[in-house]
Every structure is written in structure tokens, then in C-alpha cells.
Amino acid sequence: MAVGIFDSGLGGLTVLDAVQKRLPDVPFVYYADSAHAPYGVRTADDIYDLTTKATQALFDAGCDLVILACNTASAAALRRMQEGWVPEGKRVLGVFVPLIEALTERSWGDNSPPREVGVKHVALFATPATVASRAFQRELAFRAVGVDVEAQACGGVVDAIEDGDMILADALVRSHVDALKRKMPNPDAAILGCTHYPLMQAQFQDALGADVKVYSQANLVAESLADYLDRRPEMAGAGASKFLTSGDPRQVSQRAVQFLRREITFEAA
């Protein structure tokens, strides 16, 4: 039917917006598990159970390809899903791959030994669960050497954004950047390792300083998906786009406006 995009809440709408602009003819089904957000403070088993349930709902809606536009799900559940859960003929992709490709300037299929890359000191801002998984560091180590990664668990930021409290989100971002810089005073680059965080990219950039390159995932994921569908056009599907949520559709629809600045109507999943 369409390409599925899953997020624990509304943060994945930043990815949806980018992929719709890049691939205007591809239909998407977006699933927000708002009843269980945020995922970032949950256990790995809990995240896996919730992610597989939501992904199955997208498969049931006719999607053959599902993008986990949730870094926490990508970090804590994706590998386990791909190793023993994803049904034949279906595909589940995460958001780490295009980020690692951009950071290391090498394609995912490049299996040559790890080598030095352009950055040496990387700040990773992510949810507590993503930080605990060390998935980013593991995948980076397969491809690069000599990169020091300092991770900062940004508790409370997702909750504030989901609640629409951008003043609190701003204060939390600056507090977490201060905490990171006490551990790594001069990062070369910063990773916004949560799809909610692009909404606060200006605040992250301001707190980090203009000389720090900030990597945000939405456009990277859009380009990666476009490349994937060029190679696997049968996965694009057909049909109409729609929005599903496990939460209150009316409330989620209202909050979605602040993410995309346009009217969105969610249906009950």
C-alpha cells in the first residue's frame, strides 16, 4: 500500500516532512505510538515489544517497507527485529545508517576496514535508552577509527516537545549541552540522535557554537530512502497517505500542527 514510518510519538514527522518533499509521489502511512511515548526511558525489552507491535500494525495496513524514524527503536530493537522477527518479503530500516554514512563519508555496503575520518570529537545527544544501547558507537566503530564519541542523555526534552512546552525544551537543551561540554569542551561535530531534536536544532547550534557541525537526520534519511527505492522500486507501493496513532487522535492531530505547520488528521490505530 505505502511506505510505513514509525515513531514513538510525533518526532518522526520531521523525517516524514523531509521524505515527502524528496519523494512527493510516494504514499506514506505514519504511525505514532503516542499512548506509550516517550520510549527513551523504557527498557530494551519493552521498546522491542512496542516497536514490533507498531511495525506489525503497519504491515497489516499494507506496508512492505517500514522506516523506524525513532532513534530509540532503531538503537534498542532494530537489530533484534531483523535477526529473528521481520517476515519474509518485508523490510524494516532504521535511521542510523544514513547518519553514519554522512559522518564517515562511506557507503554502508563498503566493507573495507575501519579508517580515519574527518571528525575526531563527536557529541551525541540522544534519549537515555539510545545512549545506554551504545548502538551508535558500535556501528561507527565498524567503519571509523580514532573518533571519540561523548554521549549525553537528554532526559525531558522529548516530553517537553510532545507537550508543546518549547520554553522548557529550550532550557533543557541548553542544560544538556552545558553538561556535554563539561565532558567534551570542543566537539568537532554533534549528532542530534532523536527525531524530535531537529525542532530544536537552532537552540542546539546556538549553545554549541557556530564552529560545531550539527548533523540532523531528516534530510539524510530522505536521501537514503530515495536511493533505496531507486534500487527497490517495488517497495514503494501505492495508495493514499494516512496518519495513525495509538493515542487520542484529536489531541495528537492538534499537536502535529506545530511539527509540520499544516493540518494533519490522525486516525485511531
Side-chain angles (χ1 to χ4, degrees):
M1 175 183 163
V3 174
I5 295 186
F6 163 73
D7 190 64
S8 60
L10 295 175
L13 290 175
T14 59
V15 172
L16 176 71
D17 190 41
V19 297
Q20 283 186 320
K21 289 174 180 174
R22 179 65 179 81
L23 299 162
D25 297 326
V26 175
F28 293 94
V29 178
Y30 185 92
Y31 186 107
D33 193 14
S34 304
H36 303 106
Y39 278 18
V41 294
R42 294 182 176 275
T43 66
D45 283 344
D46 199 12
I47 294 164
Y48 174 82
D49 290 341
L50 290 169
T51 303
T52 52
K53 182 178 178 181
T55 302
Q56 185 62 55
L58 287 167
F59 288 158
D60 292 343
C63 301
D64 290 328
L65 170 63
V66 172
I67 309 298
L68 301 186
C70 173
N71 284 267
T72 301
S74 292
L78 179 58
R79 176 170 287 195
R80 184 174 167 189
M81 291 170 69
Q82 291 175 331
E83 288 175 348
W85 180 84
V86 178
E88 187 176 352
K90 305 290 187 181
R91 295 288 184 273
V92 180
L93 305 175
V95 288
F96 277 164
V97 170
L99 185 61
I100 300 278
E101 287 180 330
L103 194 65
T104 61
E105 297 183 339
R106 59 188 291 186
S107 70
W108 198 253
D110 180 351
N111 293 317
S112 60
R115 58 177 180 260
E116 290 191 359
V117 296
V119 295
K120 299 297 182 187
H121 305 286
V122 177
L124 170 64
F125 297 97
T127 67
T130 298
V131 170
S133 75
R134 293 190 61 80
F136 176 80
Q137 291 92 323
R138 181 180 65 242
E139 298 296 348
L140 183 62
F142 288 147
R143 290 159 183 83
V145 295
V147 182
D148 181 21
V149 178
E150 189 66 60
Q152 176 65 32
C154 298
V157 175
V158 170
D159 306 75
I161 293 173
E162 288 277 333
D163 289 341
D165 191 342
M166 307 312 278
I167 294 175
L168 175 59
D170 180 287
L172 288 169
V173 163
R174 295 177 187 280
S175 174
H176 289 308
V177 171
D178 285 346
L180 182 286
K181 292 181 80 170
R182 286 196 291 272
K183 297 178 287 185
M184 179 182 279
N186 298 298
D188 305 315
I191 305 300
L192 303 188
C194 173
T195 48
H196 286 74
Y197 297 174
L199 293 168
M200 308 301 296
Q201 184 165 348
Q203 288 82 356
F204 274 105
Q205 186 73 73
D206 184 58
L208 286 161
D211 56 333
V212 178
K213 181 174 177 57
V214 176
Y215 287 84
S216 186
Q217 291 170 305
N219 291 330
L220 295 173
V221 171
E223 287 302 319
S224 181
L225 179 59
D227 177 67
Y228 183 87
L229 293 178
D230 277 344
R231 291 180 283 112
R232 298 290 304 275
E234 74 278 7
M235 302 300 286
S241 296
K242 65 178 179 178
F243 299 85
L244 304 172
T245 182
S246 59
D248 178 346
R250 187 178 65 84
Q251 185 179 60
V252 174
S253 297
Q254 289 174 343
R255 289 177 178 170
V257 174
Q258 78 184 57
F259 283 77
L260 295 190
R261 303 285 196 270
R262 58 182 168 88
E263 202 68 29
I264 294 175
T265 302
F266 276 82
E267 305 170 24

